[in-house]
Amino acid sequence: MSVVERVSALDARRPQRADAARNFDALVAAGREAFAEEGSGASLEDIARRAGVGIGTLYRNFPTRDDLIETLYLGEVDALARAADEVADLEPWDALRAWLDRFVTYVGTKHALLDGLNRRSPVLAECRTIMLSAGEPLLKRAQAAGDVDPDISIGDVVKLVSGVAAVASFDDEAQRQRVLNLAINAIRR
């Protein structure tokens, strides 16, 4: 999926009028902040207050909590896909590694958002496709360069890194980073 297609998936939700778009953007930023701080139970009233708009404006843009969470999640996946484009000119292993580092950040955000999202949401399937499509060319380049086992799929890599990144019982951030490095380096030839 090209950058243009990814952008249109997110922009399709954004209002066209300048003042409405500003409110939408403020609500998205406030929602991202509130969910990061408070998890999936963040108050919609607090999000509206943080954005400097009334609750009615929030509901005009996001009729349900799921609508807001889906938009935030789509924004995170879009940023992850853009990160693949940004690192594509690096050496194959360095590009894959840089994207996987960004993927780890995404995993942390993903869990906070997914806890509050209806798991049957069609947006989840769309986001998975966008994410895998973004990472696959980086993996294939690293495989072609002989840096990664050719039998490994992008789905394998995503599950490996997601599983490690989602573990909550690390002693500290340094230990989490060491274990993530072990996981990522495990795919390297």
Side-chain angles (χ1 to χ4, degrees):
M1 185 174 284
S2 73
V3 172
V4 173
E5 289 168 317
R6 285 195 305 268
V7 171
S8 68
L10 181 58
D11 283 347
R13 293 173 177 246
R14 192 168 189 264
Q16 296 297 309
R17 261 188 23 238
D19 60 331
R22 276 192 303 277
N23 288 342
F24 179 90
D25 292 343
L27 285 163
V28 167
R32 188 177 299 116
E33 180 181 286
F35 284 111
E37 290 173 11
E38 301 169 30
S40 62
S43 159
L44 295 180
E45 290 80 8
D46 179 51
I47 292 170
R49 183 189 51 73
R50 288 178 190 223
V53 301
I55 192 69
T57 300
L58 182 142
Y59 282 117
R60 268 191 304 283
N61 283 279
F62 308 103
T64 68
R65 176 179 288 274
D66 276 0
D67 290 327
L68 175 58
I69 293 172
E70 285 176 352
T71 300
L72 294 173
Y73 187 63
L74 189 56
E76 290 300 314
V77 170
D78 184 60
L80 182 61
R82 286 180 181 277
D85 295 336
E86 292 164 7
V87 301
D89 291 335
L90 297 175
E91 290 297 316
W93 174 255
D94 294 338
L96 179 61
R97 176 61 203 236
W99 185 76
L100 289 173
D101 286 341
R102 174 59 181 90
F103 180 79
V104 169
T105 303
Y106 154 79
V107 170
T109 304
K110 171 186 166 186
H111 287 290
L113 293 175
L114 287 182
D115 286 344
L117 185 61
N118 177 348
R119 301 288 177 145
R120 294 183 309 248
S121 168
V123 170
L124 290 180
E126 177 184 0
C127 287
R128 180 171 170 73
T129 299
I130 291 169
M131 180 183 54
L132 295 177
S133 296
E136 189 168 36
L138 299 174
L139 176 64
K140 290 202 178 297
R141 278 187 59 224
Q143 288 170 324
D147 293 331
V148 177
D149 185 319
D151 294 331
I152 295 174
S153 73
I154 190 63
D156 297 338
V157 175
V158 163
K159 285 180 180 164
L160 173 68
V161 175
S162 293
V164 174
V167 173
S169 62
F170 288 106
D171 294 336
D172 56 32
E173 188 55 34
Q175 183 186 35
R176 176 187 300 276
Q177 195 58 48
R178 281 191 310 275
V179 174
L180 279 166
N181 285 334
L182 284 169
I184 292 170
N185 286 328
I187 68 169
R188 193 167 192 186
R189 275 190 158 179

